Amino acid sequence: MPKDALPNGSAQDQAPSGSWSRVSEMQAKLHRWAATDPGRRFDDLFNFVHDPATLIVAFDRVAGNRGARTPGIDGLTVAAVEERIGVTGFLDDLRASLKDGSFRPLPVREHKIPKPGRSGKVRALGIPTVADRVVQAALKLVLEPIFEADFEPVSYGFRPKRRAQDAIAEIHHFGSRGYRWVLDADIEACFDRIDHVALMGRVRSRVKDKRVLALVKAFLKAGILTELGENRSTTTGTPQGGILSPLLANIALSVLDEHLMKPWKSGGSMSSEGKRGYRRRKGLPTWRLVRYADDFVVLIHGTQDDALAVREDVARVLEPIGLRLSPAKTQIVHLSDGFDFLGFRIQWRRKRGTDKWHVYTFIADRPIRSLKAKIRALTHRKSQQALGSVLIRLNQIMRGWANYFKHAVAKDRFSALHQFVWWRLIRMLQVRHRWSWKDVRRHFTTPTGRWLPITATDGTELFNIAKVTVTRYRWRGNTIPNPWIAPT
């Protein structure tokens, strides 16, 4: 589940304004040329990759990521680069190695983390070195505006100005318009199994520069240093944790977007409401894909048999790129039964007290369990951590969580969670200070009996998640702004 509700890649970088302006201008040109000529293959991109402005912006992006403090196999973090080498010298050396062809990516360092809500299962992350991250970020700055011109509007993950809430709003929009059968798909180990040959073929459809192609391939083949210290080659996949990996995954999976959304193109059999209505009158289905990275659903206006046929079609499309659907986790459900997607529970149900049916978006059970587990870990009764520190961390977690889910039917959930965290803190304080209930009331009520918020001695106050305003997130459809086209 995404961590917050901010658009992917929307945060402005803190690189010098001159560097950012130069890179932004370059990106705008590449995107305009790609959009104007869908068949164009770009040459001479390598000069953009090692341009000083591109590397400065790329380093700033790497430094601004949460993983900046995590070293690769060379042991260097961003802070170590800044202190020991200096950013200018580091980028000058990196640029020289790119220009003379001596740059070689190092294997990524494997780091396994538990999968949320899945006891005993882990996800393997691949952590590149700082130098490799900077080059990947530079490649992304150059390649992203080109491929964004080709990407379909139905994919939302790891794309600029797009967010998980847009995907949920799209499901809500079409679910309210008769698309009631859902192919809830799960791709087995997507990032680990993408076929390199198929992926590079899609990259070559837009990129002609052999040096850029060689650089992308080198990152795919860089290998992995496992937690046991063994070197393992990478014959398929793109490591999770690399800056370039989400873009490469979107490039590979765009084959699915193009296939399923081809009938929606101008002149296609689903390109207008009239044509879609004609198909339905003839007993033919219509469908709509909604994808967020490797998580996707296909909404079907038709029958269960139509949904089964779409599942077989999706499996055929994924096979040439080395991917397959998980038989255990891929399911076909009716919207009235509901399904979970990106942490939300989406269901078509009757409005209480009426005979009208609507599509509702709730918070799924798994993220609530995960949040409660984090709260329990921070508020253990025997914890000796300062109350101010506990409140700061709790507030950070709950604000981000509420910001992500505030567009769901969440008011009751927010109130229940506030009660949960309040009682956890009160019981922790009772054990720590040997307070009775009378002591609790003396500390947290006014003389008139009104309850006060839990506040630390440094003034840090518990964030009240129950007061978060719950609002409907409006479907933006094809009106999502393009970051490389100035608004008119």
Side-chain angles (χ1 to χ4, degrees), residues 80 110 210 235 243 296 327 365 375 389 409 437 441 446 471:
E110 184 182 60
K210 292 183 178 180
T235 56
I243 292 175
F296 70 92
D365 291 336
I375 293 171
S389 300
V409 181
W437 183 246
R441 288 187 62 86
T446 65
T471 59

Side-chain angles (χ1 to χ4, degrees), residues 109-183:
R109 180 171 67 85
E110 184 182 60
H111 177 59
K112 294 181 179 179
I113 60 173
K115 287 188 176 181
R118 300 181 185 181
S119 176
K121 295 190 176 182
V122 295
R123 173 181 290 117
L125 299 181
I127 303 171
T129 64
V130 174
D132 290 350
R133 281 179 245 176
V134 172
V135 177
Q136 286 192 34
L139 277 169
K140 186 172 184 285
L141 287 169
V142 174
L143 296 178
E144 186 175 52
I146 295 173
F147 286 96
E148 275 290 330
D150 300 331
F151 288 160
E152 297 292 333
V154 295
S155 72
Y156 297 97
F158 304 105
R159 295 183 59 189
K161 302 293 184 181
R162 291 166 175 263
R163 58 186 79 171
Q165 284 73 14
D166 287 313
I168 300 301
E170 178 117 338
I171 294 171
H172 189 282
H173 177 82
F174 284 94
S176 301
R177 285 158 176 77
Y179 289 74
R180 301 279 156 71
W181 283 101
V182 181
L183 169 61

Side-chain angles (χ1 to χ4, degrees), residues 44-349:
D44 200 24
L45 293 176
F46 193 69
N47 289 334
F48 286 137
V49 173
H50 66 66
D51 186 278
T54 307
L55 293 177
I56 289 172
V57 173
F59 182 88
D60 195 71
R61 284 194 168 183
V62 171
N65 288 342
R66 287 188 303 169
R69 293 176 292 179
T70 307
I73 65 170
D74 60 357
L76 285 178
T77 62
V78 169
V81 167
E82 292 172 338
E83 293 169 7
R84 301 178 198 172
I85 306 171
V87 176
T88 301
F90 174 78
L91 293 182
D92 285 345
D93 291 344
L94 187 58
R95 182 168 186 258
S97 66
L98 285 169
K99 288 183 69 176
D100 64 22
S102 62
F103 174 82
R104 295 290 184 276
L106 293 175
V108 297
R109 180 171 67 85
E110 184 182 60
H111 177 59
K112 294 181 179 179
I113 60 173
K115 287 188 176 181
R118 300 181 185 181
S119 176
K121 295 190 176 182
V122 295
R123 173 181 290 117
L125 299 181
I127 303 171
T129 64
V130 174
D132 290 350
R133 281 179 245 176
V134 172
V135 177
Q136 286 192 34
L139 277 169
K140 186 172 184 285
L141 287 169
V142 174
L143 296 178
E144 186 175 52
I146 295 173
F147 286 96
E148 275 290 330
D150 300 331
F151 288 160
E152 297 292 333
V154 295
S155 72
Y156 297 97
F158 304 105
R159 295 183 59 189
K161 302 293 184 181
R162 291 166 175 263
R163 58 186 79 171
Q165 284 73 14
D166 287 313
I168 300 301
E170 178 117 338
I171 294 171
H172 189 282
H173 177 82
F174 284 94
S176 301
R177 285 158 176 77
Y179 289 74
R180 301 279 156 71
W181 283 101
V182 181
L183 169 61
D184 181 13
D186 182 274
I187 301 176
E188 283 190 351
C190 176
F191 281 82
D192 298 329
R193 295 184 177 177
I194 293 174
D195 184 82
H196 288 173
V197 175
L199 172 58
M200 289 304 300
R202 294 193 69 81
V203 175
R204 287 190 186 92
S205 68
R206 274 302 203 173
V207 178
K208 192 177 180 181
D209 192 320
K210 292 183 178 180
R211 293 168 297 178
V212 171
L213 292 170
L215 205 52
V216 173
K217 187 174 181 180
F219 279 116
L220 292 175
K221 302 293 186 182
I224 298 172
L225 180 65
T226 69
E227 290 184 329
L228 299 177
E230 301 171 348
N231 279 303
R232 189 171 73 235
S233 61
T234 47
T235 56
T236 61
T238 175
Q240 293 190 62
I243 292 175
L244 193 60
S245 294
L247 175 61
L248 294 178
N250 271 333
I251 292 172
L253 289 170
S254 62
V255 66
L256 177 65
D257 306 344
E258 293 166 3
H259 177 78
L260 289 181
M261 297 310 296
K262 185 178 180 180
W264 287 76
K265 296 287 187 181
S266 179
S269 59
M270 303 181 199
S271 58
S272 68
E273 185 58 46
K275 288 185 176 182
R276 293 192 289 273
Y278 176 80
R279 281 182 62 88
R280 290 193 284 268
R281 287 193 297 273
K282 293 291 186 180
L284 299 174
T286 57
W287 55 79
R288 183 81 179 185
L289 170 69
V290 181
R291 183 172 67 82
Y292 190 96
D294 59 330
D295 293 326
F296 70 92
V297 297
V298 184
L299 308 172
I300 297 102
H301 195 310
T303 66
Q304 185 176 14
D305 287 340
D306 295 327
L308 289 167
V310 169
R311 182 175 66 179
E312 296 305 314
D313 191 33
V314 167
R316 284 194 298 270
V317 174
L318 292 176
E319 187 177 3
I321 58 173
L323 302 176
R324 66 175 186 144
L325 298 176
S326 167
K329 298 176 184 176
T330 298
Q331 58 177 344
I332 291 173
V333 298
H334 195 271
L335 201 55
S336 59
D337 296 323
F339 67 99
D340 293 353
F341 189 62
L342 302 180
F344 294 89
R345 179 75 179 174
I346 305 166
Q347 188 173 13
W348 183 56
R349 60 193 293 181

